[in-house]
Amino acid sequence: MAITKETISGTNIICEIESSNINKTDFNTESKKLIVDFKTGAQYEYEGVPHEVYTRFRMAESQGSFFSKNIAKTYKYKKL
C-alpha cells in the first residue's frame, strides 16, 4: 500500500492511495475533518482528527492498517 499521488489545495491535503480498502483521503488542516473514499464507493467524514495523526497515517507502511487501528473507531464519523 502506498500513496500514489498527493495534492495540497489551500488547507486540504488530498492523497490517492493504493490500498485494498481505501481509494482517496481529503484532510482539512483547519477543520481537522478527514474524508475517506473507500473502494466500496462509500464515503465517510471523520471529525477532530489531529494533523499529527494524519501525518502518521500518510507516513505509515500500510495506510489501511493504520486507518483501521488509529482512526476508524477513534473519531466521530458520519457517512456522506
Side-chain angles (χ1 to χ4, degrees):
M1 297 182 200
I3 293 174
T4 57
K5 183 178 179 185
E6 183 173 89
T7 306
I8 296 174
S9 177
T11 59
N12 286 47
I13 303 169
I14 302 156
C15 293
E16 293 179 20
I17 299 170
E18 186 177 307
S19 165
S20 59
N21 194 27
I22 300 171
N23 276 332
K24 183 174 86 170
T25 61
D26 185 343
F27 178 71
N28 185 293
T29 58
E30 286 185 352
S31 68
K32 296 182 173 40
K33 289 186 179 179
L34 171 63
I35 297 173
V36 180
D37 292 344
F38 291 95
K39 296 252 187 215
T40 62
Q43 187 179 62
Y44 285 82
E45 179 182 84
Y46 296 81
E47 295 181 19
V49 179
H51 191 245
E52 69 177 51
V53 171
Y54 187 66
T55 299
R56 288 183 13 236
F57 163 79
R58 288 168 43 223
M59 304 307 283
E61 189 173 320
S62 168
Q63 283 78 30
S65 179
F66 185 93
F67 175 80
S68 294
K69 293 176 186 170
N70 300 286
I71 297 174
K73 303 296 182 198
T74 304
Y75 299 95
K76 184 178 177 184
Y77 63 92
K78 65 180 177 183
K79 187 172 184 178
L80 299 179

